PDB file of all heavy atoms in Angstrom:
ATOM      1  N   TYR A   1       0.342   8.392  15.163  1.00 88.00           N
ATOM      2  CA  TYR A   1       0.980   9.507  14.473  1.00 88.00           C
ATOM      3  C   TYR A   1       2.506   9.346  14.484  1.00 88.00           C
ATOM      4  O   TYR A   1       3.185   9.545  13.468  1.00 88.00           O
ATOM      5  CB  TYR A   1       0.586  10.818  15.138  1.00 88.00           C
ATOM      6  CG  TYR A   1       1.210  12.052  14.537  1.00 88.00           C
ATOM      7  CD1 TYR A   1       0.571  12.760  13.521  1.00 88.00           C
ATOM      8  CD2 TYR A   1       2.436  12.530  14.981  1.00 88.00           C
ATOM      9  CE1 TYR A   1       1.143  13.889  12.969  1.00 88.00           C
ATOM     10  CE2 TYR A   1       3.018  13.654  14.430  1.00 88.00           C
ATOM     11  CZ  TYR A   1       2.371  14.330  13.433  1.00 88.00           C
ATOM     12  OH  TYR A   1       2.950  15.445  12.882  1.00 88.00           O
ATOM     13  N   GLY A   2       3.042   8.979  15.650  1.00 86.00           N
ATOM     14  CA  GLY A   2       4.489   8.791  15.748  1.00 86.00           C
ATOM     15  C   GLY A   2       4.985   7.678  14.847  1.00 86.00           C
ATOM     16  O   GLY A   2       6.023   7.814  14.185  1.00 86.00           O
ATOM     17  N   ARG A   3       4.249   6.552  14.801  1.00 85.00           N
ATOM     18  CA  ARG A   3       4.665   5.447  13.939  1.00 85.00           C
ATOM     19  C   ARG A   3       4.617   5.846  12.470  1.00 85.00           C
ATOM     20  O   ARG A   3       5.490   5.472  11.672  1.00 85.00           O
ATOM     21  CB  ARG A   3       3.788   4.218  14.190  1.00 85.00           C
ATOM     22  CG  ARG A   3       4.119   3.464  15.462  1.00 85.00           C
ATOM     23  CD  ARG A   3       3.523   2.064  15.444  1.00 85.00           C
ATOM     24  NE  ARG A   3       2.073   2.090  15.440  1.00 85.00           N
ATOM     25  CZ  ARG A   3       1.312   1.839  16.497  1.00 85.00           C
ATOM     26  NH1 ARG A   3       1.864   1.569  17.664  1.00 85.00           N
ATOM     27  NH2 ARG A   3      -0.010   1.856  16.403  1.00 85.00           N
ATOM     28  N   ILE A   4       3.589   6.595  12.080  1.00 88.00           N
ATOM     29  CA  ILE A   4       3.473   7.029  10.687  1.00 88.00           C
ATOM     30  C   ILE A   4       4.640   7.936  10.308  1.00 88.00           C
ATOM     31  O   ILE A   4       5.251   7.783   9.243  1.00 88.00           O
ATOM     32  CB  ILE A   4       2.127   7.738  10.454  1.00 88.00           C
ATOM     33  CG1 ILE A   4       0.968   6.742  10.559  1.00 88.00           C
ATOM     34  CG2 ILE A   4       2.106   8.410   9.088  1.00 88.00           C
ATOM     35  CD1 ILE A   4      -0.389   7.395  10.514  1.00 88.00           C
ATOM     36  N   GLN A   5       4.962   8.875  11.182  1.00 88.00           N
ATOM     37  CA  GLN A   5       6.065   9.789  10.883  1.00 88.00           C
ATOM     38  C   GLN A   5       7.385   9.045  10.750  1.00 88.00           C
ATOM     39  O   GLN A   5       8.188   9.321   9.849  1.00 88.00           O
ATOM     40  CB  GLN A   5       6.178  10.864  11.985  1.00 88.00           C
ATOM     41  CG  GLN A   5       5.127  11.947  11.914  1.00 88.00           C
ATOM     42  CD  GLN A   5       5.382  12.927  10.776  1.00 88.00           C
ATOM     43  OE1 GLN A   5       5.617  12.541   9.648  1.00 88.00           O
ATOM     44  NE2 GLN A   5       5.313  14.208  11.076  1.00 88.00           N
ATOM     45  N   LEU A   6       7.606   8.075  11.640  1.00 85.00           N
ATOM     46  CA  LEU A   6       8.842   7.299  11.559  1.00 85.00           C
ATOM     47  C   LEU A   6       8.907   6.527  10.248  1.00 85.00           C
ATOM     48  O   LEU A   6       9.963   6.453   9.606  1.00 85.00           O
ATOM     49  CB  LEU A   6       8.930   6.339  12.751  1.00 85.00           C
ATOM     50  CG  LEU A   6       9.203   6.985  14.112  1.00 85.00           C
ATOM     51  CD1 LEU A   6       9.141   5.933  15.214  1.00 85.00           C
ATOM     52  CD2 LEU A   6      10.558   7.686  14.130  1.00 85.00           C
ATOM     53  N   LEU A   7       7.787   5.954   9.833  1.00 85.00           N
ATOM     54  CA  LEU A   7       7.758   5.194   8.585  1.00 85.00           C
ATOM     55  C   LEU A   7       8.012   6.102   7.387  1.00 85.00           C
ATOM     56  O   LEU A   7       8.815   5.777   6.497  1.00 85.00           O
ATOM     57  CB  LEU A   7       6.416   4.485   8.428  1.00 85.00           C
ATOM     58  CG  LEU A   7       6.197   3.772   7.094  1.00 85.00           C
ATOM     59  CD1 LEU A   7       7.128   2.568   6.976  1.00 85.00           C
ATOM     60  CD2 LEU A   7       4.756   3.335   6.937  1.00 85.00           C
ATOM     61  N   LEU A   8       7.327   7.251   7.355  1.00 87.00           N
ATOM     62  CA  LEU A   8       7.477   8.153   6.213  1.00 87.00           C
ATOM     63  C   LEU A   8       8.897   8.700   6.110  1.00 87.00           C
ATOM     64  O   LEU A   8       9.399   8.941   5.011  1.00 87.00           O
ATOM     65  CB  LEU A   8       6.478   9.307   6.320  1.00 87.00           C
ATOM     66  CG  LEU A   8       5.001   8.931   6.109  1.00 87.00           C
ATOM     67  CD1 LEU A   8       4.108  10.118   6.392  1.00 87.00           C
ATOM     68  CD2 LEU A   8       4.767   8.425   4.684  1.00 87.00           C
ATOM     69  N   ARG A   9       9.555   8.887   7.255  1.00 86.00           N
ATOM     70  CA  ARG A   9      10.928   9.390   7.221  1.00 86.00           C
ATOM     71  C   ARG A   9      11.931   8.272   6.951  1.00 86.00           C
ATOM     72  O   ARG A   9      13.006   8.525   6.412  1.00 86.00           O
ATOM     73  CB  ARG A   9      11.243  10.105   8.521  1.00 86.00           C
ATOM     74  CG  ARG A   9      10.541  11.460   8.577  1.00 86.00           C
ATOM     75  CD  ARG A   9      10.807  12.233   9.828  1.00 86.00           C
ATOM     76  NE  ARG A   9      10.204  13.556   9.700  1.00 86.00           N
ATOM     77  CZ  ARG A   9       9.796  14.290  10.712  1.00 86.00           C
ATOM     78  NH1 ARG A   9       9.909  13.828  11.944  1.00 86.00           N
ATOM     79  NH2 ARG A   9       9.259  15.477  10.513  1.00 86.00           N
ATOM     80  N   ALA A  10      11.568   7.048   7.325  1.00 82.00           N
ATOM     81  CA  ALA A  10      12.463   5.918   7.039  1.00 82.00           C
ATOM     82  C   ALA A  10      12.378   5.495   5.585  1.00 82.00           C
ATOM     83  O   ALA A  10      13.342   4.931   5.041  1.00 82.00           O
ATOM     84  CB  ALA A  10      12.116   4.739   7.943  1.00 82.00           C
ATOM     85  N   ALA A  11      11.224   5.723   4.950  1.00 82.00           N
ATOM     86  CA  ALA A  11      11.039   5.325   3.548  1.00 82.00           C
ATOM     87  C   ALA A  11      10.520   6.507   2.752  1.00 82.00           C
ATOM     88  O   ALA A  11       9.376   6.517   2.304  1.00 82.00           O
ATOM     89  CB  ALA A  11      10.080   4.143   3.459  1.00 82.00           C
ATOM     90  N   PRO A  12      11.342   7.546   2.577  1.00 82.00           N
ATOM     91  CA  PRO A  12      10.876   8.732   1.837  1.00 82.00           C
ATOM     92  C   PRO A  12      10.677   8.405   0.366  1.00 82.00           C
ATOM     93  O   PRO A  12      11.254   7.441  -0.154  1.00 82.00           O
ATOM     94  CB  PRO A  12      12.025   9.732   2.040  1.00 82.00           C
ATOM     95  CG  PRO A  12      13.227   8.881   2.232  1.00 82.00           C
ATOM     96  CD  PRO A  12      12.756   7.655   2.971  1.00 82.00           C
ATOM     97  N   PRO A  13       9.865   9.194  -0.315  1.00 82.00           N
ATOM     98  CA  PRO A  13       9.668   8.946  -1.756  1.00 82.00           C
ATOM     99  C   PRO A  13      10.960   9.196  -2.517  1.00 82.00           C
ATOM    100  O   PRO A  13      11.757  10.058  -2.142  1.00 82.00           O
ATOM    101  CB  PRO A  13       8.580   9.953  -2.142  1.00 82.00           C
ATOM    102  CG  PRO A  13       8.648  11.016  -1.101  1.00 82.00           C
ATOM    103  CD  PRO A  13       9.082  10.335   0.158  1.00 82.00           C
ATOM    104  N   PRO A  14      11.201   8.429  -3.563  1.00 79.00           N
ATOM    105  CA  PRO A  14      12.426   8.644  -4.350  1.00 79.00           C
ATOM    106  C   PRO A  14      12.365   9.991  -5.054  1.00 79.00           C
ATOM    107  O   PRO A  14      11.282  10.502  -5.357  1.00 79.00           O
ATOM    108  CB  PRO A  14      12.407   7.482  -5.355  1.00 79.00           C
ATOM    109  CG  PRO A  14      10.959   7.112  -5.472  1.00 79.00           C
ATOM    110  CD  PRO A  14      10.357   7.365  -4.126  1.00 79.00           C
ATOM    111  N   PRO A  15      13.515  10.577  -5.324  1.00 80.00           N
ATOM    112  CA  PRO A  15      13.504  11.859  -6.048  1.00 80.00           C
ATOM    113  C   PRO A  15      12.978  11.668  -7.464  1.00 80.00           C
ATOM    114  O   PRO A  15      13.026  10.572  -8.021  1.00 80.00           O
ATOM    115  CB  PRO A  15      14.984  12.270  -6.048  1.00 80.00           C
ATOM    116  CG  PRO A  15      15.732  10.990  -5.879  1.00 80.00           C
ATOM    117  CD  PRO A  15      14.878  10.117  -5.022  1.00 80.00           C
ATOM    118  N   GLU A  16      12.476  12.742  -8.026  1.00 81.00           N
ATOM    119  CA  GLU A  16      11.991  12.682  -9.399  1.00 81.00           C
ATOM    120  C   GLU A  16      13.153  12.382 -10.342  1.00 81.00           C
ATOM    121  O   GLU A  16      14.246  12.925 -10.200  1.00 81.00           O
ATOM    122  CB  GLU A  16      11.321  13.998  -9.792  1.00 81.00           C
ATOM    123  CG  GLU A  16      10.003  14.246  -9.078  1.00 81.00           C
ATOM    124  CD  GLU A  16       9.277  15.453  -9.639  1.00 81.00           C
ATOM    125  OE1 GLU A  16       9.702  15.936 -10.715  1.00 81.00           O
ATOM    126  OE2 GLU A  16       8.315  15.909  -9.016  1.00 81.00           O
ATOM    127  N   ARG A  17      12.882  11.488 -11.277  1.00 82.00           N
ATOM    128  CA  ARG A  17      13.914  11.076 -12.212  1.00 82.00           C
ATOM    129  C   ARG A  17      13.608  11.626 -13.605  1.00 82.00           C
ATOM    130  O   ARG A  17      12.452  11.671 -14.022  1.00 82.00           O
ATOM    131  CB  ARG A  17      13.981   9.551 -12.291  1.00 82.00           C
ATOM    132  CG  ARG A  17      14.282   8.860 -10.966  1.00 82.00           C
ATOM    133  CD  ARG A  17      15.650   9.222 -10.460  1.00 82.00           C
ATOM    134  NE  ARG A  17      16.005   8.453  -9.265  1.00 82.00           N
ATOM    135  CZ  ARG A  17      17.090   8.687  -8.546  1.00 82.00           C
ATOM    136  NH1 ARG A  17      17.918   9.656  -8.898  1.00 82.00           N
ATOM    137  NH2 ARG A  17      17.350   7.955  -7.479  1.00 82.00           N
ATOM    138  N   LEU A  18      14.667  12.027 -14.304  1.00 84.00           N
ATOM    139  CA  LEU A  18      14.523  12.444 -15.697  1.00 84.00           C
ATOM    140  C   LEU A  18      14.121  11.227 -16.520  1.00 84.00           C
ATOM    141  O   LEU A  18      14.686  10.141 -16.366  1.00 84.00           O
ATOM    142  CB  LEU A  18      15.838  13.014 -16.210  1.00 84.00           C
ATOM    143  CG  LEU A  18      15.861  13.450 -17.674  1.00 84.00           C
ATOM    144  CD1 LEU A  18      15.019  14.702 -17.850  1.00 84.00           C
ATOM    145  CD2 LEU A  18      17.288  13.697 -18.136  1.00 84.00           C
ATOM    146  N   ARG A  19      13.138  11.392 -17.370  1.00 86.00           N
ATOM    147  CA  ARG A  19      12.716  10.281 -18.206  1.00 86.00           C
ATOM    148  C   ARG A  19      13.814   9.954 -19.216  1.00 86.00           C
ATOM    149  O   ARG A  19      14.235  10.804 -20.000  1.00 86.00           O
ATOM    150  CB  ARG A  19      11.416  10.615 -18.932  1.00 86.00           C
ATOM    151  CG  ARG A  19      10.903   9.456 -19.785  1.00 86.00           C
ATOM    152  CD  ARG A  19       9.594   9.787 -20.473  1.00 86.00           C
ATOM    153  NE  ARG A  19       9.179   8.683 -21.326  1.00 86.00           N
ATOM    154  CZ  ARG A  19       8.501   7.629 -20.912  1.00 86.00           C
ATOM    155  NH1 ARG A  19       8.141   7.555 -19.632  1.00 86.00           N
ATOM    156  NH2 ARG A  19       8.165   6.667 -21.738  1.00 86.00           N
ATOM    157  N   LEU A  20      14.259   8.702 -19.176  1.00 88.00           N
ATOM    158  CA  LEU A  20      15.309   8.237 -20.070  1.00 88.00           C
ATOM    159  C   LEU A  20      14.692   7.625 -21.323  1.00 88.00           C
ATOM    160  O   LEU A  20      13.515   7.264 -21.326  1.00 88.00           O
ATOM    161  CB  LEU A  20      16.179   7.198 -19.355  1.00 88.00           C
ATOM    162  CG  LEU A  20      16.905   7.683 -18.098  1.00 88.00           C
ATOM    163  CD1 LEU A  20      17.546   6.516 -17.369  1.00 88.00           C
ATOM    164  CD2 LEU A  20      17.956   8.722 -18.459  1.00 88.00           C
ATOM    165  N   PRO A  21      15.476   7.504 -22.391  1.00 90.00           N
ATOM    166  CA  PRO A  21      14.955   6.794 -23.572  1.00 90.00           C
ATOM    167  C   PRO A  21      14.574   5.368 -23.204  1.00 90.00           C
ATOM    168  O   PRO A  21      15.210   4.737 -22.363  1.00 90.00           O
ATOM    169  CB  PRO A  21      16.145   6.823 -24.546  1.00 90.00           C
ATOM    170  CG  PRO A  21      16.992   7.953 -24.081  1.00 90.00           C
ATOM    171  CD  PRO A  21      16.829   8.030 -22.603  1.00 90.00           C
ATOM    172  N   ASP A  22      13.529   4.876 -23.831  1.00 89.00           N
ATOM    173  CA  ASP A  22      13.089   3.516 -23.538  1.00 89.00           C
ATOM    174  C   ASP A  22      14.228   2.544 -23.787  1.00 89.00           C
ATOM    175  O   ASP A  22      14.938   2.636 -24.796  1.00 89.00           O
ATOM    176  CB  ASP A  22      11.899   3.138 -24.413  1.00 89.00           C
ATOM    177  CG  ASP A  22      10.633   3.900 -24.007  1.00 89.00           C
ATOM    178  OD1 ASP A  22      10.628   4.467 -22.904  1.00 89.00           O
ATOM    179  OD2 ASP A  22       9.670   3.918 -24.803  1.00 89.00           O
ATOM    180  N   PRO A  23      14.431   1.578 -22.865  1.00 92.00           N
ATOM    181  CA  PRO A  23      15.598   0.688 -22.976  1.00 92.00           C
ATOM    182  C   PRO A  23      15.440  -0.324 -24.104  1.00 92.00           C
ATOM    183  O   PRO A  23      14.332  -0.708 -24.486  1.00 92.00           O
ATOM    184  CB  PRO A  23      15.628  -0.009 -21.610  1.00 92.00           C
ATOM    185  CG  PRO A  23      14.202  -0.004 -21.160  1.00 92.00           C
ATOM    186  CD  PRO A  23      13.621   1.285 -21.672  1.00 92.00           C
ATOM    187  N   THR A  24      16.594  -0.779 -24.621  1.00 91.00           N
ATOM    188  CA  THR A  24      16.608  -1.840 -25.626  1.00 91.00           C
ATOM    189  C   THR A  24      16.864  -3.201 -25.010  1.00 91.00           C
ATOM    190  O   THR A  24      16.606  -4.226 -25.647  1.00 91.00           O
ATOM    191  CB  THR A  24      17.692  -1.559 -26.681  1.00 91.00           C
ATOM    192  OG1 THR A  24      18.981  -1.529 -26.042  1.00 91.00           O
ATOM    193  CG2 THR A  24      17.433  -0.223 -27.362  1.00 91.00           C
ATOM    194  N   GLY A  25      17.427  -3.208 -23.758  1.00 91.00           N
ATOM    195  CA  GLY A  25      17.628  -4.478 -23.065  1.00 91.00           C
ATOM    196  C   GLY A  25      19.067  -4.843 -22.807  1.00 91.00           C
ATOM    197  O   GLY A  25      19.353  -5.951 -22.357  1.00 91.00           O
ATOM    198  N   THR A  26      20.018  -3.942 -23.021  1.00 93.00           N
ATOM    199  CA  THR A  26      21.414  -4.213 -22.697  1.00 93.00           C
ATOM    200  C   THR A  26      21.606  -4.149 -21.188  1.00 93.00           C
ATOM    201  O   THR A  26      21.258  -3.143 -20.563  1.00 93.00           O
ATOM    202  CB  THR A  26      22.343  -3.202 -23.384  1.00 93.00           C
ATOM    203  OG1 THR A  26      22.159  -3.291 -24.798  1.00 93.00           O
ATOM    204  CG2 THR A  26      23.797  -3.482 -23.043  1.00 93.00           C
ATOM    205  N   VAL A  27      22.131  -5.220 -20.605  1.00 94.00           N
ATOM    206  CA  VAL A  27      22.278  -5.317 -19.147  1.00 94.00           C
ATOM    207  C   VAL A  27      23.755  -5.429 -18.797  1.00 94.00           C
ATOM    208  O   VAL A  27      24.482  -6.245 -19.397  1.00 94.00           O
ATOM    209  CB  VAL A  27      21.513  -6.536 -18.588  1.00 94.00           C
ATOM    210  CG1 VAL A  27      21.755  -6.684 -17.090  1.00 94.00           C
ATOM    211  CG2 VAL A  27      20.028  -6.410 -18.878  1.00 94.00           C
ATOM    212  N   SER A  28      24.200  -4.620 -17.853  1.00 94.00           N
ATOM    213  CA  SER A  28      25.577  -4.682 -17.360  1.00 94.00           C
ATOM    214  C   SER A  28      25.541  -4.836 -15.846  1.00 94.00           C
ATOM    215  O   SER A  28      24.911  -4.036 -15.148  1.00 94.00           O
ATOM    216  CB  SER A  28      26.356  -3.410 -17.733  1.00 94.00           C
ATOM    217  OG  SER A  28      26.381  -3.231 -19.139  1.00 94.00           O
ATOM    218  N   VAL A  29      26.197  -5.872 -15.356  1.00 93.00           N
ATOM    219  CA  VAL A  29      26.348  -6.091 -13.916  1.00 93.00           C
ATOM    220  C   VAL A  29      27.805  -5.860 -13.582  1.00 93.00           C
ATOM    221  O   VAL A  29      28.688  -6.546 -14.117  1.00 93.00           O
ATOM    222  CB  VAL A  29      25.903  -7.511 -13.523  1.00 93.00           C
ATOM    223  CG1 VAL A  29      26.165  -7.759 -12.049  1.00 93.00           C
ATOM    224  CG2 VAL A  29      24.426  -7.703 -13.837  1.00 93.00           C
ATOM    225  N   GLU A  30      28.046  -4.895 -12.697  1.00 93.00           N
ATOM    226  CA  GLU A  30      29.421  -4.448 -12.448  1.00 93.00           C
ATOM    227  C   GLU A  30      29.781  -4.630 -10.984  1.00 93.00           C
ATOM    228  O   GLU A  30      29.261  -3.926 -10.104  1.00 93.00           O
ATOM    229  CB  GLU A  30      29.572  -2.973 -12.854  1.00 93.00           C
ATOM    230  CG  GLU A  30      29.223  -2.700 -14.313  1.00 93.00           C
ATOM    231  CD  GLU A  30      29.156  -1.214 -14.631  1.00 93.00           C
ATOM    232  OE1 GLU A  30      29.293  -0.403 -13.682  1.00 93.00           O
ATOM    233  OE2 GLU A  30      28.958  -0.871 -15.811  1.00 93.00           O
ATOM    234  N   ASN A  31      30.643  -5.607 -10.706  1.00 93.00           N
ATOM    235  CA  ASN A  31      31.177  -5.831  -9.355  1.00 93.00           C
ATOM    236  C   ASN A  31      30.067  -5.781  -8.308  1.00 93.00           C
ATOM    237  O   ASN A  31      30.150  -5.070  -7.315  1.00 93.00           O
ATOM    238  CB  ASN A  31      32.259  -4.791  -9.042  1.00 93.00           C
ATOM    239  CG  ASN A  31      33.149  -5.225  -7.889  1.00 93.00           C
ATOM    240  OD1 ASN A  31      33.344  -6.414  -7.668  1.00 93.00           O
ATOM    241  ND2 ASN A  31      33.677  -4.262  -7.161  1.00 93.00           N
ATOM    242  N   LEU A  32      29.033  -6.541  -8.523  1.00 93.00           N
ATOM    243  CA  LEU A  32      27.797  -6.449  -7.753  1.00 93.00           C
ATOM    244  C   LEU A  32      27.887  -7.212  -6.437  1.00 93.00           C
ATOM    245  O   LEU A  32      28.265  -8.394  -6.408  1.00 93.00           O
ATOM    246  CB  LEU A  32      26.631  -6.992  -8.584  1.00 93.00           C
ATOM    247  CG  LEU A  32      25.257  -6.969  -7.932  1.00 93.00           C
ATOM    248  CD1 LEU A  32      24.800  -5.529  -7.702  1.00 93.00           C
ATOM    249  CD2 LEU A  32      24.244  -7.715  -8.803  1.00 93.00           C
ATOM    250  N   PHE A  33      27.525  -6.527  -5.360  1.00 93.00           N
ATOM    251  CA  PHE A  33      27.321  -7.135  -4.051  1.00 93.00           C
ATOM    252  C   PHE A  33      25.869  -6.859  -3.653  1.00 93.00           C
ATOM    253  O   PHE A  33      25.412  -5.720  -3.741  1.00 93.00           O
ATOM    254  CB  PHE A  33      28.253  -6.545  -2.990  1.00 93.00           C
ATOM    255  CG  PHE A  33      29.684  -6.991  -3.112  1.00 93.00           C
ATOM    256  CD1 PHE A  33      30.515  -6.474  -4.102  1.00 93.00           C
ATOM    257  CD2 PHE A  33      30.213  -7.926  -2.232  1.00 93.00           C
ATOM    258  CE1 PHE A  33      31.828  -6.873  -4.220  1.00 93.00           C
ATOM    259  CE2 PHE A  33      31.535  -8.333  -2.332  1.00 93.00           C
ATOM    260  CZ  PHE A  33      32.351  -7.808  -3.332  1.00 93.00           C
ATOM    261  N   VAL A  34      25.157  -7.882  -3.194  1.00 92.00           N
ATOM    262  CA  VAL A  34      23.757  -7.717  -2.794  1.00 92.00           C
ATOM    263  C   VAL A  34      23.552  -8.387  -1.448  1.00 92.00           C
ATOM    264  O   VAL A  34      23.990  -9.537  -1.237  1.00 92.00           O
ATOM    265  CB  VAL A  34      22.790  -8.336  -3.831  1.00 92.00           C
ATOM    266  CG1 VAL A  34      21.346  -8.153  -3.384  1.00 92.00           C
ATOM    267  CG2 VAL A  34      23.001  -7.692  -5.197  1.00 92.00           C
ATOM    268  N   ARG A  35      22.871  -7.668  -0.550  1.00 89.00           N
ATOM    269  CA  ARG A  35      22.491  -8.226   0.752  1.00 89.00           C
ATOM    270  C   ARG A  35      20.982  -8.384   0.806  1.00 89.00           C
ATOM    271  O   ARG A  35      20.245  -7.532   0.315  1.00 89.00           O
ATOM    272  CB  ARG A  35      22.942  -7.316   1.894  1.00 89.00           C
ATOM    273  CG  ARG A  35      24.427  -7.295   2.147  1.00 89.00           C
ATOM    274  CD  ARG A  35      24.739  -6.672   3.507  1.00 89.00           C
ATOM    275  NE  ARG A  35      24.326  -5.286   3.542  1.00 89.00           N
ATOM    276  CZ  ARG A  35      25.144  -4.248   3.346  1.00 89.00           C
ATOM    277  NH1 ARG A  35      26.415  -4.464   3.087  1.00 89.00           N
ATOM    278  NH2 ARG A  35      24.698  -3.021   3.401  1.00 89.00           N
ATOM    279  N   ALA A  36      20.535  -9.454   1.433  1.00 85.00           N
ATOM    280  CA  ALA A  36      19.107  -9.623   1.668  1.00 85.00           C
ATOM    281  C   ALA A  36      18.672  -8.644   2.752  1.00 85.00           C
ATOM    282  O   ALA A  36      19.470  -8.275   3.620  1.00 85.00           O
ATOM    283  CB  ALA A  36      18.801 -11.056   2.106  1.00 85.00           C
ATOM    284  N   PRO A  37      17.424  -8.164   2.718  1.00 80.00           N
ATOM    285  CA  PRO A  37      16.956  -7.224   3.739  1.00 80.00           C
ATOM    286  C   PRO A  37      17.150  -7.798   5.149  1.00 80.00           C
ATOM    287  O   PRO A  37      16.803  -8.949   5.414  1.00 80.00           O
ATOM    288  CB  PRO A  37      15.463  -7.071   3.412  1.00 80.00           C
ATOM    289  CG  PRO A  37      15.372  -7.386   1.956  1.00 80.00           C
ATOM    290  CD  PRO A  37      16.402  -8.434   1.694  1.00 80.00           C
ATOM    291  N   GLY A  38      17.749  -6.985   6.009  1.00 74.00           N
ATOM    292  CA  GLY A  38      17.950  -7.403   7.393  1.00 74.00           C
ATOM    293  C   GLY A  38      19.185  -8.250   7.619  1.00 74.00           C
ATOM    294  O   GLY A  38      19.438  -8.667   8.754  1.00 74.00           O
ATOM    295  N   ARG A  39      19.961  -8.510   6.574  1.00 81.00           N
ATOM    296  CA  ARG A  39      21.171  -9.314   6.720  1.00 81.00           C
ATOM    297  C   ARG A  39      22.398  -8.477   6.413  1.00 81.00           C
ATOM    298  O   ARG A  39      22.370  -7.586   5.578  1.00 81.00           O
ATOM    299  CB  ARG A  39      21.133 -10.533   5.795  1.00 81.00           C
ATOM    300  CG  ARG A  39      20.078 -11.559   6.168  1.00 81.00           C
ATOM    301  CD  ARG A  39      20.114 -12.759   5.241  1.00 81.00           C
ATOM    302  NE  ARG A  39      21.414 -13.408   5.210  1.00 81.00           N
ATOM    303  CZ  ARG A  39      21.713 -14.452   4.431  1.00 81.00           C
ATOM    304  NH1 ARG A  39      20.792 -14.943   3.605  1.00 81.00           N
ATOM    305  NH2 ARG A  39      22.913 -14.991   4.459  1.00 81.00           N
TER     306      ARG A  39
END
């Protein structure tokens, strides 16, 4: 039970998102920094 609660609180469900218009495929990458999990 304790492990389940910790997991559910560490990874809560994302908030509901407003449905956006279907994308056409325009991609913008802006000053992007990305870390690998655990690094």
